[in-house]
Amino acid sequence: MPLRDELPPRTGPWASRFDSEEALVQAEDALRAAALKGHDLAPILPFEAVYGRFLDCLGKATAIAIDPVNPYGPDGEINYVYGDFMTLGLLYGVYRPAAGVGPDGPADEDQLWNTTLYPYPGGAIDPTTVPLAELGLDVPGVDRRFVHFCAGLLGVEAVDDLGMLRETFDAAWPDYRETVRSGLLHLVQQRPLTVDQWYRLTYVRFPDEQELTVYLAQVYAYLFDGFEAMPLAPQ
């Protein structure tokens, strides 16, 4: 398995940060509770669900991007733009079962390890609201948690953490493992998603559907069939 410093750099269209320790803790508490309640290792919550409506979301997190209109300033330096998250913000949590958890999956907060936590602007494809049918995922055995798995665990901010999940994935809730297994098999066998849809969901861009399918087959083999090499998403 590659070390983290050996992985190619991957960046989405935004960088982001929490503006205070209080905002981060509030997000972590809400996401951890959602993970346990929903049996979801990659819970995603709208800003409003955690911080309140509209102006209550201000001052909680900042999004940073290179200005698409004027990427360079007069002095030739990169021109960054900053924006407060408001109602279109999303909060992503990525968790993994703690070592030693039994076959029924984590039962309390101590049995979940946090892998990463980050705010990200909404837009493109919203994993919390997009109809499963729009992604070709309205099939038996697959539910909203699989969309979260793709957007969160296989998304640009966390995809290189897949190796951290592998060690204890067998201890995830059986129903969660089943929706991930069914979803990956469906994507590999039926290829319902285009590379453009995958990018708008994950911000990871594949050159064509064939390479995306091969990658997803490797993810399935890595999590369920003992495939040793961690699948690498494109740079």
Side-chain angles (χ1 to χ4, degrees):
M1 183 187 305
L3 299 174
R4 288 190 62 83
D5 58 6
E6 295 174 343
L7 293 167
R10 258 176 287 280
T11 57
W14 296 91
S16 60
R17 69 186 182 205
F18 286 100
D19 291 341
S20 68
E21 183 72 17
E22 180 183 7
L24 185 154
V25 170
Q26 196 173 351
E28 211 282 327
D29 287 347
L31 286 164
R32 185 177 290 272
L36 286 169
K37 181 179 179 180
H39 289 187
D40 189 352
L41 292 180
I44 304 172
L45 293 174
F47 258 51
E48 286 188 350
V50 177
Y51 299 125
R53 291 185 57 80
F54 198 53
L55 293 179
D56 290 334
C57 295
L58 290 175
K60 302 301 191 295
T62 299
I64 308 163
I66 298 173
D67 190 331
V69 177
N70 298 301
Y72 296 98
D75 55 3
E77 294 188 359
I78 295 175
N79 188 24
Y80 291 102
V81 292
Y82 298 80
D84 266 314
F85 285 81
M86 291 182 70
T87 56
L88 293 180
L90 295 173
L91 294 163
Y92 289 72
V94 177
Y95 297 89
R96 60 195 191 277
V101 171
D104 294 332
D108 57 51
E109 294 184 355
D110 293 337
Q111 294 184 338
L112 273 182
W113 287 337
N114 178 269
T115 301
T116 189
L117 178 75
Y118 57 93
Y120 216 74
I125 292 178
D126 183 340
T128 67
T129 60
V130 62
L132 297 185
E134 185 175 316
L135 302 177
L137 292 173
D138 189 13
V139 295
V142 178
D143 58 41
R144 175 69 54 185
R145 293 174 297 174
F146 181 65
V147 182
H148 291 177
F149 172 84
C150 294
L153 274 161
L154 301 184
V156 70
E157 295 289 330
V159 65
D160 293 334
D161 296 325
L162 192 60
M164 300 173 69
L165 172 64
R166 159 74 176 272
E167 183 179 354
T168 57
F169 187 66
D170 286 348
W173 305 279
D175 57 311
Y176 180 76
R177 285 171 45 83
E178 180 57 26
T179 195
V180 171
R181 187 192 69 81
S182 297
L184 287 171
L185 279 178
H186 178 69
L187 290 185
V188 169
Q189 293 171 351
Q190 303 300 323
R191 303 188 181 190
L193 281 173
T194 67
V195 290
D196 179 63
Q197 286 176 307
W198 185 261
Y199 175 77
R200 290 188 292 127
L201 181 65
T202 67
Y203 294 110
V204 177
R205 189 177 297 283
F206 283 81
D208 55 49
E209 272 77 14
Q210 179 62 26
E211 289 207 20
L212 173 58
T213 300
V214 169
Y215 170 76
L216 293 170
Q218 290 174 343
V219 172
Y220 179 91
Y222 185 65
L223 293 178
F224 294 99
D225 285 345
F227 185 68
E228 288 300 322
M230 189 181 88
L232 294 182
Q235 181 172 344

